[in-house]
Amino acid sequence: MDYDYFVKQQSEVLREAAGDGRAINALSGGVDSAVVTVLGHRALGDRLKTIFVDNGLMREGEPERVVSTFTAMGIPVERIDARDEFLGALAGLTDPEEKRRAVTTSFYQGVFGRVVRETGARILLHGTILTDIEETVAGIKRQHNILAQLGIDPEREYGYQVLEPLQTLRKNEVRALARHLGMGVELTERIPFPGPGLATRIVGEVTPERLETVRAATAIVEDELASSGAFQYLAVLLGDKATGIRAGCREFGQIIVVRCVASRDAREATAVELPWAKLQRICGRITELPGVNRCLYDLTPKPPATIEYV
Ligand code: XMP
């Protein structure tokens, strides 16, 4: 693929669509939205406003890390603190689809709608890639093409047009484009992290306490498996509890599942055969977390499982 040509062509499309107007995009820190951000700023300069929505569902230190990485690249990113709004919308929900809907609605109808109105932006840049479109069309995913799934015509509803500059690329091509654009390895090789964040890794209700547990477990798994070369690795908090023993007393505690998968593009995946000693180490660290007394390793391939749990 001729990435110079791709960048030139997409920049022309963006400039033409934006005209004299303003554009907006939301950066999550993932490679897709990161590439859209760099591409968009090269094409539109400060007519593109990039926001980072802190939904309270991010990993440890992630909001600060993402904003400072882009600031260092000369791209200003506005952090919007919407933690209460998202957690409020998730309170009391246990159904996976309702939880996903609460996150997307808080994002598009809440925070994003407000920012669009405030800035008067007419164009929204979105990091949709080819696999997202294929999986949505095949009915495998419901998280992409979300505005249409919510029955929202963005042009009519909010007065903005959605542009998807990466829609012909697959993940490996997005990573190659990121390298071509001179982005650092912390962005180009970042493991996938879902838009609804840690909410996809909590079975049952998402509460500040449960988020704290899964966030701490995630940090341990990422620390231990960073050099595994796996496609993705994560921690999940189950809705069930189990009896255990701590400090000589019986305790009804939380259960964390560790998942580590090999995959090409997330459409299919297999569990990685991790060394027993590594698994034991992870288990030891995770069961030191307050209230967690079990740690399981998930062997299930996709299909029939998905990679995330919600
Ligand atoms: P599943 O769980 O469907 O996930 O096997 C496949 C890949 O997609 C990621 N994923 C998401 N990414 N928004 C995203 O941007 C989402 O709602 C979402 N759900 C899952 C997941 O992490 C995996 O890499």
Side-chain angles (χ1 to χ4, degrees):
M1 150 117 34
D2 182 345
Y3 289 107
D4 268 332
Y5 178 72
F6 181 89
V7 171
K8 197 164 157 279
Q9 193 193 30
Q10 289 304 323
S11 300
E12 277 166 21
V13 171
L14 295 183
R15 280 194 210 104
E16 195 166 316
D20 296 331
R22 302 199 67 186
I24 186 168
N25 84 305
L27 175 65
S28 69
V31 65
D32 304 341
S33 69
V35 168
V36 167
T37 302
V38 173
L39 209 58
H41 276 271
R42 292 216 182 154
L44 304 174
D46 58 15
R47 278 185 298 140
L48 174 64
K49 180 185 177 73
T50 298
I51 61 167
F52 176 90
V53 178
D54 185 354
N55 56 14
L57 307 171
M58 302 283 166
R59 290 170 292 185
E60 227 165 69
E62 190 149 36
E64 297 76 15
R65 202 161 50 236
V66 173
V67 173
S68 67
T69 303
F70 279 82
T71 308
M73 288 162 69
I75 296 178
V77 177
E78 186 187 337
R79 176 177 170 179
I80 296 175
D81 183 355
R83 288 175 292 182
D84 291 345
E85 191 165 341
F86 280 81
L87 293 190
L90 283 163
L93 302 184
T94 53
D95 178 79
E97 296 307 321
E98 282 181 18
K99 282 158 67 181
R100 278 181 171 274
R101 205 170 305 121
V103 175
T104 36
T105 308
S106 300
F107 187 81
Y108 283 98
Q109 291 179 339
V111 184
F112 211 70
R114 278 201 301 280
V115 179
V116 168
R117 276 192 297 276
E118 280 162 23
T119 56
R122 302 300 309 272
I123 304 283
L124 158 63
L125 308 187
H126 209 277
T128 316
I129 68 171
L130 184 56
T131 318
D132 300 333
I133 295 171
E134 285 172 347
E135 293 204 329
T136 304
V137 170
I140 298 169
K141 274 215 166 87
R142 71 165 307 281
Q143 65 263 34
H144 294 290
N145 203 3
I146 31 207
L147 291 173
Q149 282 165 359
L150 287 166
I152 295 168
D153 172 355
E155 188 109 53
R156 205 184 55 224
E157 207 78 25
Y158 300 131
Y160 63 69
Q161 182 191 352
V162 179
L163 293 183
E164 298 173 322
L166 310 181
Q167 61 172 280
T168 57
L169 306 186
R170 293 195 183 280
K171 196 64 128 197
N172 58 330
E173 292 170 316
V174 178
R175 291 196 202 281
L177 175 58
R179 288 190 284 270
H180 180 84
L181 290 167
M183 292 160 63
V185 285
E186 73 281 8
L187 291 170
T188 61
E189 307 312 317
R190 183 181 183 272
I191 56 165
F193 186 66
L198 297 174
T200 64
R201 301 177 182 176
I202 294 179
V203 181
E205 190 180 359
V206 176
T207 63
E209 298 72 32
R210 304 192 79 217
L211 268 169
E212 214 36 65
T213 303
V214 83
R215 186 175 284 124
T218 302
I220 294 170
V221 170
E222 293 194 351
D223 176 43
E224 290 289 341
L225 298 180
S227 57
S228 65
F231 176 82
Q232 202 170 358
Y233 31 88
L234 48 117
V236 177
L237 175 61
L238 294 188
D240 278 342
K241 287 184 158 192
T243 299
I245 299 172
R246 197 183 298 269
C249 295
R250 282 167 77 81
E251 166 197 71
F252 201 43
Q254 315 256 36
I255 309 170
I256 290 283
V257 174
V258 175
R259 189 136 171 78
C260 176
V261 295
S263 177
R264 213 173 67 84
D265 56 11
R267 283 190 291 181
E268 294 184 346
T270 49
V272 174
E273 199 173 326
L274 291 172
W276 194 246
K278 176 58 89 179
L279 286 169
Q280 280 181 320
R281 207 181 131 74
I282 294 172
C283 176
R285 288 182 65 185
I286 283 182
T287 49
E288 277 171 11
L289 294 173
V292 179
N293 64 12
R294 287 201 196 221
C295 178
L296 318 177
Y297 188 56
D298 185 346
L299 298 180
T300 328
K302 174 182 179 178
T306 52
I307 295 177
E308 308 290 349
Y309 268 51
V310 168

